[in-house]
């Protein structure tokens, strides 16, 4: 925590107190109904709220027991300390009690000895507070007491009433709770007594008690016991005229009486400060003239009275030998007269707020510095601190005392905090329509918030907006909008404009606009009916212009009204959080314009809006930049940022989702426990526009940061990096929070504001879970941490290598690994080039051009036949082993230890794939690499373990080297491939040769039979039934003599299941097995009865194994059977649409022979291609549904055949352009900026037909869309058929293209079919 603004102190004489207890300096003050306990300028120990009262009147602490007493009305609250031995000092309520007369407010509290508490109201009452309050003495008074204080030894009480010039001095005659008696005498003053102070010496050996009184006649009187036999206990020893004690050197022409302020330094403190200061200066070899002078004065052991005025003058006076029988004139002497002694005293103040009460004490263990607490009755406490020579050195100095802290705030609970666009100022508001404008200031202790202005509105404030970093404020009320000047301490309302609007005004936001002198601002409100009003605000051109002159320029008038044209009523409209970026006026209003507003409906449909002000015709143009359905009904809260991120809270208030408004994709989803209620969302961003979100709960704030996309491990796109708990500081729930521009977080709870710094502890569990490369750093800036979680990756990062492999950049991958091996040989642990000295253009130069240039260079080179044995051109297993050995020893920059392990895995996988590079195509290489990586991680027991996905299956499915892949998978399992292994590798999904598929399935059947020593035929029944090899299964049952089911099963299988009776018997057995939950065996009996459909349904539904269902259907009836067709249509495609799995949808469409739809499904969300009975899940809206590798497969399949070209031709150029740009953004978010540049630089769009007169319902000839003629385009378009036949073969839910009449192609198109 950087700073705490604990609340506004009460304007009472005993609102603040301090003492040193148990070796610790404690400062206490009351604010509203809160008791604030602090242990230093920035150390908040505890805040105690009194829920049964509105306001507290006084506070006092017992320096012996540490007990605290507060009062409110006629009630007294006693708090007892605990946890001091465990270093967790807190206070808890011991008990509370009411004074005898509840109708009279208690005004004063004072602790005596033995836990005795003096309570003053219309009477003085003394209570014993050991375990329960016991009234041991009371005395009615003629006037209510204003202040009553025990002397340090508790033998005397000084009390005075309001406007009283006679101070009562009570002398204690007896001690003990049984018989307590006091007598009193008067100390007469010529005018009203305004202040009382007892000398609080650490030791009482210097004499009797000394009392200081201050009067309105500007005199300080010193009372001491000069004569113990006198009728009065204390006699007047000396008086000091504080008005005459300060005589400014520059006399004014007209004498003006300025207020005087007084505080005292006890002789014990002064002597200690002078001596320790002199010793410290001697050791440090510093100039010590002033200290030597003060040391000489300290030998006289004076009590010190410091007199101040608000013009920077200070005069210090010493009282020597106070209480001596004979006072000499030299006993009162001047110590110093100082000019420019600035204690931040008010130059002007209203009546009742000019009073300042001072408390002073030594700080630090060595007592070399002295602190002054200035309690301003306008609602602030200033902690000033300096060494003793800073106070009394007469030589000129610029800054004598250092402002360590300024405590202020609200009296009521903070309801709302609104920041400026820059984050340099903010306003906090309460339910009482009071607002305080805070501005950042930088001090020696770092950043702090200072109160710049106070605003008290007579009307209810609905919304607030700050202009010019808090110099002006605009408040939206129910039927008007007001403009306030907040440049001064007290804000003034300068203009107001009434309005009428249909619907409830929901927001107040500023429209981007900039003129030459920045004298105009445009603010708008939008109602629930999506109608709004724009106001033009005129400001002074110069913010520093004189106040009286600038007020003439302050105006607010209605500029125009508008209608956004949305029929659905908005649940809420909010301004977009600037998140650190200043809104830029749009030259042209388009989708690239910056969002300024966000609206959402009860059904969860989000809209983002941009606007442009037209001053010539007094209008505002609005543009909807995005619209998407989140599927979240009745959202409770939402918040959007200028970085196009939107956070949404569900109706239960415990579910959070984060969306990207550009793509409408969900990036994060989390359901918190029902007790964790989300009540606030606040955005900020790094200088590189990486987003950070603070999620506010009642007693904590969770900070989420965006991190790089991770499609391979399906990692989250957001992660918590910090949790802030405020319950230790205050029991009050959080009201609101906001970010400052520098990364500090301001949290408002109760009357207090907490400012948390931007430093994050790297040892925190949340940071260690992210595996950040934070070698040797204890803490780090939050912006630096988020930058490490985002931004471009070094080319040797495992994620970059993996995406290069998917993008077909295997030569670059090999070069990166070879260069990394070379670099690590000479790595000294300091710096490693992120590009490994590889030219950046090699990553975005067209691959074909790069290979052609390399081959030409090789042919021209005289050294074409020369090879360097030391530097291999390929990644061999030996090189991989050497490199992985280096990775195990050296910490690589920008890689965590876990990422280094993943890098070693990829290097090992690349080396394995390089062995087979000449015998397999690129798709087989992609499959092999990622299957190998999965198996390596599985063997290592890695937490980040993702099974084989449909992405890997798709690569193998479109590979021409499937036989090699089958052999490699079989070798990995030592030739003992079981079904669980086949499912893990996806083998039966990507094998195209149906004969090889059945042969492999029979191999699995044999392995399933022999996987146990007992060789149970039940284990392989399903597989042999799918192969239609009942005879083989029957032979296996004959050998299973140990099985008690052998006889019955063998006899049953011997029957002819072509007959109806045995089919029925097999079905009955299947249903009986279903009842016993023996699903696999039940599916085998369904196959025995010839009921493939039910067997497939059991596998897919009861066993939840869709791969087994597909494999059985393919083995049993081939790839063109009706059961497989229905399975793909009824289960696989709806599943793909529900999950948003485009890889699965592509595979299913391809298996159905709809290659055109397969190509379209790679670009278009699946649920838009077919009508499914289920609404797409949140998973279908996730960013994971748009894998950047989809663009690689799309480009590969697009011009593979005429059917795929036909599907590509049905995709509009804009859709394809948006898909490519979105993929480039995904690469950028993943940290693969070079691949994003490669994509947008080298992408080729299909040529659009030039015939503009072509009918709209006629699909253009796909062959004419290729920019390059290729002989490899397969003509797989079906021959022309009747419309009825085409409709019969359509996919369920997929709209069938309108049939057109067949037209005989011309000769040129026929030649095109053969590549001529």
């Amino acid at each position: 925590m950087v700073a705490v603004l604990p609340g506004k102190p009460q304007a009472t004489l005993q609102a603040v107190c301090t003492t040193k207890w148990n070796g610790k300096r404690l400062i206490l003050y009351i604010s509203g109904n809160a008791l604030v306990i602090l242990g230093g300028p920035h150390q908040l120990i505890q805040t105690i709220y009194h829920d049964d009262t509105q306001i507290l009147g006084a506070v006092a602490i017992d320096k012996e027991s540490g007990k605290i007493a507060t009062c409110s009305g006629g009630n007294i609250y006693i708090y007892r300390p605990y946890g001091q031995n465990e270093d967790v000092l807190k206070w808890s309520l011991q008990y509370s009690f009411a004074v005898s007369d509840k109708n009279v407010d208690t005004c004063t509290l004072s602790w005596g000895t033995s836990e005795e508490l003096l309570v003053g109201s219309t009477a003085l009452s003394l209570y014993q507070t050991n375990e329960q309050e016991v009234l041991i003495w009371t005395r009615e008074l003629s006037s209510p007491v204003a202040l009553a204080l025990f002397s340090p030894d508790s033998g005397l009480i000084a009390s005075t009433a309001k406007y009283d010039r006679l101070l009562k001095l009570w002398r204690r005659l007896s001690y003990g709770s049984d018989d307590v008696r006091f007598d009193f005498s008067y100390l007469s003053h010529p005018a009203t007594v305004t202040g009382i102070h007892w000398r609080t010496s650490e030791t009482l050996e210097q004499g009797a008690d000394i009392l200081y009184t201050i009067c309105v006649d500007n005199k300080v009187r010193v009372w001491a016991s000069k004569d113990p036999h006198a009728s009065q206990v204390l006699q007047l020893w000396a008086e000091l005229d504080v008005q005459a004690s300060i005589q400014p050197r520059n006399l004014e022409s007209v004498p003006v009486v300025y207020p005087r302020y007084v505080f005292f330094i006890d002789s014990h403190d002064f002597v200690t400060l002078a001596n320790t200061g002199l010793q410290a200066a001697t050791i440090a070899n510093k100039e010590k003239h002033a200290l030597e002078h003060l040391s000489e004065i300290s030998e006289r052991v004076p009590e010190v009275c410091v007199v101040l005025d608000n013009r920077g003058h200070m005069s210090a006076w010493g009282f020597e030998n106070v209480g001596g029988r004979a006072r000499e004139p030299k006993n009162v002497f001047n110590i110093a007269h100082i000019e420019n002694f600035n204690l931040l005293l008010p130059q002007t103040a209203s009546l009742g707020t000019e009073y300042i009460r001072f408390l002073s004490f030594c700080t630090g263990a060595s007592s070399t510095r002295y602190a002054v607490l200035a309690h301003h009755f306008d609602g602030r406490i200033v902690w000033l601190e300096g060494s003793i020579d800073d106070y009394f050195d007469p030589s000129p100095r610029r800054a004598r005392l250092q402002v360590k802290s300024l405590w202020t705030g609200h009296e009521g609970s903070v309801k709302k905090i609104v920041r400026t666009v820059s984050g340099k100022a903010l306003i906090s508001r309460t339910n009482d329509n009071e607002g305080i404008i805070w501005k950042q200031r930088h001090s020696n202790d770092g950043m702090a918030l200072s109160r710049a202005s106070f605003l008290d509105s007579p009307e209810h404030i609905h919304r607030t907006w700050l202009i010019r970093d808090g110099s002006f404020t605009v408040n939206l009320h129910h039927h008007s909008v007001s403009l306030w000047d907040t440049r001064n301490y007290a804000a003034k309302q300068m203009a107001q404009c009434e309005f009428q609007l249909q619907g409830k005004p929901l927001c107040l936001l500023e429209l981007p606009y900039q003129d030459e002198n920045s004298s105009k601002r445009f603010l708008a409100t939008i109602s629930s009916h999506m109608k709004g009003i724009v106001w033009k605000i005129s400001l002074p051109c110069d913010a520093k212009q004189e106040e009286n002159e600038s007020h003439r320029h302050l105006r607010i008038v209605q500029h125009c009204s508008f209608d956004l044209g949305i029929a659905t009523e908005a649940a809420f409209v909010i301004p977009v959080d600037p998140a650190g970026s200043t809104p830029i006026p749009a030259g042209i209003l388009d989708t690239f314009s910056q969002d300024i507003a966000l609206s959402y409906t009860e059904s969860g449909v989000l809209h983002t809006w941009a606007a442009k002000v037209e001053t010539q015709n007094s209008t505002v143009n609005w543009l909807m930049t995005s619209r998407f359905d989140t599927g979240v009904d009745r959202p409770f809260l939402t918040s959007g940022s200028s970085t196009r991120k939107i956070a949404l809270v569900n109706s239960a208030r415990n579910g959070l989702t984060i969306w990207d408004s550009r793509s409408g994709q969900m990036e994060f989803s989390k359901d918190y426990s029902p007790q964790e209620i989300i009540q606030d969302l606040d955005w900020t961003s790094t200088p590189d526009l990486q987003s950070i979100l603070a999620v506010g709960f009642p007693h904590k704030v969770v900070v989420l940061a965006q991190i790089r996309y991770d499609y391979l491990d399906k990692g989250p796109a957001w992660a918590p990096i910090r949790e802030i708990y405020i319950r230790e500081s205050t029991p009050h729930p959080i009201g609101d929070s906001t970010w400052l521009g520098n990364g500090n977080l301001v949290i408002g709870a109760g009357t207090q504001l907490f400012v948390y710094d931007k430093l994050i502890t790297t040892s925190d569990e949340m940071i260690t879970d992210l595996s950040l490369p934070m070698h040797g750093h204890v803490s780090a800036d939050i912006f630096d941490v988020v930058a490490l979680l985002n931004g471009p990756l070094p080319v040797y990062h495992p994620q970059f290598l993996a995406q290069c492999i998917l993008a077909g950049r295997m030569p670059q991958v090999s070069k990166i690994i070879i260069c990394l091996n070379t670099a690590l040989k000479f790595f000294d642990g300091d710096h490693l080039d992120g590009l490994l000295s590889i030219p950046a253009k090699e990553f975005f130069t067209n691959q074909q051009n790069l290979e052609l240039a390399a081959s030409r260079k090789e042919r021209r080179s005289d050294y074409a036949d020369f090879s360097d044995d030391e530097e291999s051109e390929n990644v061999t297993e030996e090189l991989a082993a050497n490199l992985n050995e280096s990775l195990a020893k050296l910490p690589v920059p920008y890689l965590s230890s876990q990422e280094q392990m993943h890098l070693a895995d990829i290097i090992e996988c690349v080396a394995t794939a390089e062995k087979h590079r000449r015998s397999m195509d690129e798709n087989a290489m992609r499959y092999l690499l990622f299957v190998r990586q999965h198996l390596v991680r599985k063997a290592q027991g890695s937490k980040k373990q993702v099974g084989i996905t449909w992405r890997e299956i798709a690569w193998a499915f479109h590979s021409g080297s499937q036989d090699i892949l089958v052999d490699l998978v079989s070798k990995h399992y030592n030739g003992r491939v079981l079904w669980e292994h086949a499912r893990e590798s996806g083998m039966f999904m990507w094998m195209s040769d149906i004969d090889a598929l059945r042969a492999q399935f029979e191999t699995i059947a044999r392995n399933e039979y022999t996987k146990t020593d007992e060789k149970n035929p039940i284990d392989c029944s399903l597989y042999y039934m799918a192969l239609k090899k009942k005879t083989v299964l029957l032979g296996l049952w004959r050998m299973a003599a140990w099985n008690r089911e052998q006889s019955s099963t063998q006899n049953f299988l011997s029957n002819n299941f072509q007959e109806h009776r045995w089919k029925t018997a097999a079905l009955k057995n299947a249903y009986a097995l279903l009842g016993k939950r023996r699903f696999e065996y039940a599916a085998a009996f369904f196959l025995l009865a010839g009921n493939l459909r039910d067997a497939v349904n059991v596998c897919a539904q009861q066993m939840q194994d869709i791969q087994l269902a597909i494999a059985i259907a393919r083995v049993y009836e081939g790839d063109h059977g009706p059961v497989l067709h229905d399975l793909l249509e009824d289960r696989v495609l709806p599943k793909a649409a529900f999950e948003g799995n485009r890889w699965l949808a592509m595979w299913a469409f391809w298996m159905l022979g709809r290659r055109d739809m397969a190509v379209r499904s790679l670009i278009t969300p699946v649920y838009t291609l077919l009508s499914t009975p289920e609404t797409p899940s949140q998973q279908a809206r996730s960013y994971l549904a748009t894998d950047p590798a989809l663009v690689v497969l799309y480009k590969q399949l697009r011009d593979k055949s005429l059917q795929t070209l036909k599907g590509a031709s049905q995709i509009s150029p804009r859709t394809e352009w948006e898909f490519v740009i979105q993929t480039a953004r995904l690469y950028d978010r993943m940290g693969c900026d070079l691949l994003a540049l490669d994509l947008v630089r080298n992408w080729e769009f299909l040529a659009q037909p030039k015939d503009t007169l072509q009918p709209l319902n006629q699909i253009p000839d796909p062959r004419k869309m290729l920019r390059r003629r290729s002989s490899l385009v397969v003509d797989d378009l079906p021959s022309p058929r009747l419309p009825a036949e085409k409709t019969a073969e359509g996919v369920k839910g997929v709209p069938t293209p309108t049939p057109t009449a067949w037209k005989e192609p011309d000769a040129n198109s026929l030649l095109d079919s053969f590549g001529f």
Side-chain angles (χ1 to χ4, degrees), residues 663 665 1133 1136-1146 1149 1156-1170 1176 1180 1182 1185-1187 1190-1191 1194 1206-1220 1222-1223 1295:
S663 59
Q665 292 178 336
L1133 282 175
F1138 181 74
E1139 297 176 354
N1141 193 334
R1142 300 187 187 183
W1143 301 99
L1144 176 58
M1146 182 281 306
F1149 277 125
D1156 54 340
M1157 296 296 293
V1159 172
R1160 291 178 61 188
S1161 67
L1162 293 173
I1163 285 187
T1164 313
V1166 184
Y1167 58 85
T1168 63
L1169 294 178
L1170 65 160
S1182 171
T1186 311
D1187 192 326
L1190 288 167
V1191 77
Y1194 170 75
K1206 176 186 174 184
S1209 67
Q1210 294 174 333
I1211 300 171
S1212 67
R1214 179 172 182 83
T1215 301
E1216 184 175 343
W1217 179 84
E1218 289 176 348
F1219 176 67
V1220 173
Q1222 174 64 11
T1223 304

Side-chain angles (χ1 to χ4, degrees), residues 204-279:
L204 299 176
E205 299 174 356
Q206 301 177 20
D209 295 318
I210 298 174
L211 177 67
Y212 304 98
T213 60
I214 306 170
C215 277
V216 295
D217 62 353
N218 280 329
K219 287 186 179 182
V220 171
R221 291 171 174 82
V222 185
W223 305 83
S225 178
K226 295 189 298 182
D227 183 5
H229 303 291
S231 59
Q232 289 185 330
V233 179
L234 298 180
Q235 300 88 40
L236 180 63
W237 184 83
E239 64 179 28
L240 176 68
D241 189 339
V242 296
Q243 186 68 39
S245 64
I246 294 180
Q247 297 296 333
R249 293 178 182 148
N250 299 325
L251 298 178
E252 299 181 1
S253 57
V254 179
V256 180
V257 178
Y258 295 110
R260 298 290 191 264
Y261 306 95
V262 177
F263 68 91
F264 303 94
I265 302 177
D266 295 332
S267 57
H268 178 271
D269 291 342
F270 182 79
V271 172
T272 303
L273 288 165
N275 293 335
T276 54
L278 183 60
Q279 293 172 6

Side-chain angles (χ1 to χ4, degrees), residues 978-992:
L978 302 176
W979 171 249
E980 60 177 311
H981 304 145
R983 181 175 57 232
E984 185 178 33
S985 64
M987 178 186 299
F988 289 92
M989 302 300 102
W990 49 258
M991 290 181 67
S992 301

Side-chain angles (χ1 to χ4, degrees), residues 1001-1217:
F1001 204 73
E1002 187 169 2
T1003 302
I1004 288 179
R1006 287 196 299 268
N1007 294 336
E1008 288 286 342
Y1009 174 68
T1010 59
K1011 69 180 179 181
T1012 59
D1013 294 337
E1014 60 185 10
K1015 297 181 180 179
N1016 193 345
I1018 295 177
D1019 296 336
C1020 61
S1021 297
L1022 176 61
Y1023 307 98
Y1024 279 117
M1025 286 294 100
L1027 290 164
K1028 301 179 183 178
K1029 293 190 176 184
K1030 186 192 74 169
T1031 308
V1032 175
L1033 184 61
L1034 183 60
L1036 297 177
W1037 273 107
R1038 289 194 184 103
M1039 294 184 289
W1042 57 270
N1043 196 314
R1044 63 180 182 178
E1045 299 178 3
Q1046 183 206 22
S1047 177
S1048 59
T1049 307
Q1050 183 179 345
N1051 294 332
F1052 186 73
L1053 290 176
S1054 301
N1055 296 302
N1056 182 8
F1057 289 92
Q1058 299 299 322
E1059 298 179 10
H1060 177 72
R1061 58 172 293 206
W1062 294 114
K1063 282 187 178 182
T1064 305
L1067 288 175
K1068 288 182 179 180
N1069 278 285
Y1071 288 119
L1073 289 168
L1074 281 178
K1076 296 178 180 179
R1077 305 189 65 80
R1078 298 176 65 182
F1079 299 128
E1080 183 177 327
Y1081 205 26
F1085 273 86
F1086 277 123
L1087 290 176
L1088 183 62
N1091 195 337
L1092 172 63
R1093 192 176 300 276
D1094 285 344
V1096 165
N1097 288 337
V1098 169
C1099 295
Q1101 191 166 337
Q1102 274 77 22
M1103 297 178 65
Q1104 293 294 306
D1105 193 343
I1106 193 71
Q1107 284 199 38
L1108 182 59
I1110 295 171
I1112 289 173
R1114 295 185 69 188
V1115 169
Y1116 194 88
E1117 65 176 5
D1119 287 345
H1120 305 289
V1123 175
L1124 178 63
H1125 187 278
D1126 292 344
L1127 177 64
L1128 295 175
E1129 284 190 352
D1130 298 339
R1131 287 192 182 273
V1132 177
L1133 282 175
K1135 175 182 171 67
F1138 181 74
E1139 297 176 354
N1141 193 334
R1142 300 187 187 183
W1143 301 99
L1144 176 58
M1146 182 281 306
W1147 177 87
F1149 277 125
W1150 200 279
M1151 289 292 294
L1152 287 168
R1154 294 300 307 273
R1155 298 184 177 184
D1156 54 340
M1157 296 296 293
V1159 172
R1160 291 178 61 188
S1161 67
L1162 293 173
I1163 285 187
T1164 313
V1166 184
Y1167 58 85
T1168 63
L1169 294 178
L1170 65 160
S1171 302
T1172 58
E1174 297 180 82
T1175 304
S1177 66
Q1178 293 284 41
Q1179 182 182 354
R1181 298 181 172 96
S1182 171
Y1183 79 97
L1184 292 171
T1186 311
D1187 192 326
L1190 288 167
V1191 77
V1192 180
L1193 186 60
Y1194 170 75
K1195 186 176 182 180
Q1196 185 182 120
L1197 298 183
R1198 182 181 63 180
D1199 49 4
K1200 189 171 185 177
S1201 69
L1202 292 183
Q1203 262 207 68
T1204 58
L1205 275 172
K1206 176 186 174 184
S1209 67
Q1210 294 174 333
I1211 300 171
S1212 67
R1214 179 172 182 83
T1215 301
E1216 184 175 343
W1217 179 84

